[in-house]
Amino acid sequence: MRTGIGDFVRAGVCLLLSLMFLGAAWPLWQTAQQARQDDVDFSKVAIVENGHRTGRLKVCGDRYRKPYCMQRERVTVWDSTYTIKRSSTKYRLELTRADHRRTMELAYSDIRSHDERDSVYGRAQAGEPVTLFWWRGSVRMIQAGKDSGDHRSVVNTSHYPGRLFTAPAALTSVLWGLGLGPLWAATWLLLRGRRNPLTMAWQWLAPVLALATAGGVGALTALIEPRPRAVVLSFSVTAVALLGPALL
């Protein structure tokens, strides 16, 4: 039984769908990766003049506007503790925010000893002013001491909320599944020829469903673990695990 005209038509439709979905997925994935890079590497907001960093920050105010600047917030420390680890000391500051109604706990690591008067912890304990710098909805830098001059200490945090990455990455994973599935179907319909006449649609429909499911798993991973490698790995592992039984 030769490949019929109907198979060519179905293959053409599947190929067009595949190109449409995969074509939309590529720029979305680039957007997701750039969003994560911008979110993680908050030092991008440092001012660069004549190709050199000045050491200053783009802090929201008259000159810089949201969302391309860091928001500054003065807080009051009302309790502070620390736990000694192997490579560093883990600190926790309990803070009262500017409206005096909201409190928050902030944990960070610092290689400096808690005995050092010049550390963020030491200055906070001494009652010196503490300022938080927010970038993309999370605290990225803690400053203790005066706002100008050398009489201040700064520590960077490593918190990453992943909110900018999650939505485009999840949608990309779904589009991968929707795009690779029709591509498989088109290839099968065009190449099967006399060898495997279709008595039912499972020879191409089951792999399509398996790849679509892999896209859903990748999207779920983007919500739970917002990292590009985690999304790609979960999609690939799920696709391989489901394609085996589907082909058999």
Side-chain angles (χ1 to χ4, degrees):
M1 180 177 178
R2 297 180 182 276
T3 302
I5 299 299
D7 286 342
F8 278 113
V9 173
R10 286 191 292 270
V13 172
C14 288
L15 191 58
L16 287 176
L17 287 174
S18 176
L19 292 176
M20 182 180 67
F21 287 129
L22 293 179
W26 176 244
L28 263 177
W29 183 245
Q30 290 182 311
T31 299
Q33 288 183 307
Q34 185 60 51
R36 185 181 190 277
Q37 187 65 29
D38 290 345
D39 209 355
V40 174
D41 188 13
F42 78 96
S43 62
K44 287 180 181 295
V45 299
I47 298 175
V48 177
E49 294 177 351
N50 298 324
H52 302 286
R53 292 187 181 275
T54 64
R56 293 178 290 167
L57 293 168
K58 291 182 180 178
V59 180
C60 296
D62 295 334
R63 186 175 181 184
Y64 303 108
R65 298 295 181 181
K66 298 178 184 177
Y68 306 108
C69 59
M70 300 186 77
Q71 294 176 262
R72 187 197 336 241
E73 180 184 6
R74 181 66 60 84
V75 295
T76 302
V77 179
W78 60 274
D79 194 14
S80 55
T81 57
Y82 64 88
T83 305
I84 298 178
K85 304 287 185 180
R86 283 186 178 180
S87 57
S88 63
T89 304
K90 190 77 171 180
Y91 297 94
R92 192 182 82 253
L93 302 178
E94 297 186 29
L95 312 168
T96 300
R97 305 184 69 176
D99 57 12
H100 300 290
R101 290 178 295 179
R102 294 180 296 168
T103 61
M104 64 181 295
E105 290 188 11
L106 195 62
Y108 66 94
S109 297
D110 197 348
I111 59 174
R112 288 172 291 189
S113 169
H114 58 277
D115 294 328
E116 291 188 38
R117 173 65 180 79
D118 198 37
S119 67
V120 168
Y121 179 81
R123 291 186 180 277
Q125 270 205 323
E128 294 192 31
V130 174
T131 304
L132 307 181
F133 290 87
W134 295 79
W135 169 244
R136 304 287 192 183
S138 63
V139 177
R140 299 306 175 87
M141 190 172 74
I142 310 168
Q143 176 183 299
K146 298 179 180 179
D147 290 336
S148 60
D150 297 329
H151 302 292
R152 62 182 178 180
S153 298
V154 173
V155 64
N156 294 334
T157 68
S158 58
H159 176 62
Y160 168 59
R163 288 177 297 192
L164 297 177
F165 169 82
T166 296
L171 186 54
T172 299
S173 181
V174 172
L175 291 175
W176 283 345
L178 295 177
L180 291 176
L183 181 61
W184 177 288
T187 304
W188 180 266
L189 289 168
L190 289 173
L191 299 181
R192 69 181 180 85
R194 300 180 182 180
R195 300 178 185 177
N196 245 332
L198 289 179
T199 55
M200 58 169 54
W202 285 110
Q203 287 94 331
W204 61 272
L205 182 58
V208 168
L209 294 175
L211 289 167
T213 303
V217 172
L220 184 62
T221 302
L223 298 174
I224 299 173
E225 184 64 26
R227 291 184 299 110
R229 184 177 178 181
V231 176
V232 173
L233 188 61
S234 64
F235 180 92
S236 303
V237 170
T238 305
V240 171
L242 293 179
L243 278 176
L247 293 176
L248 292 176

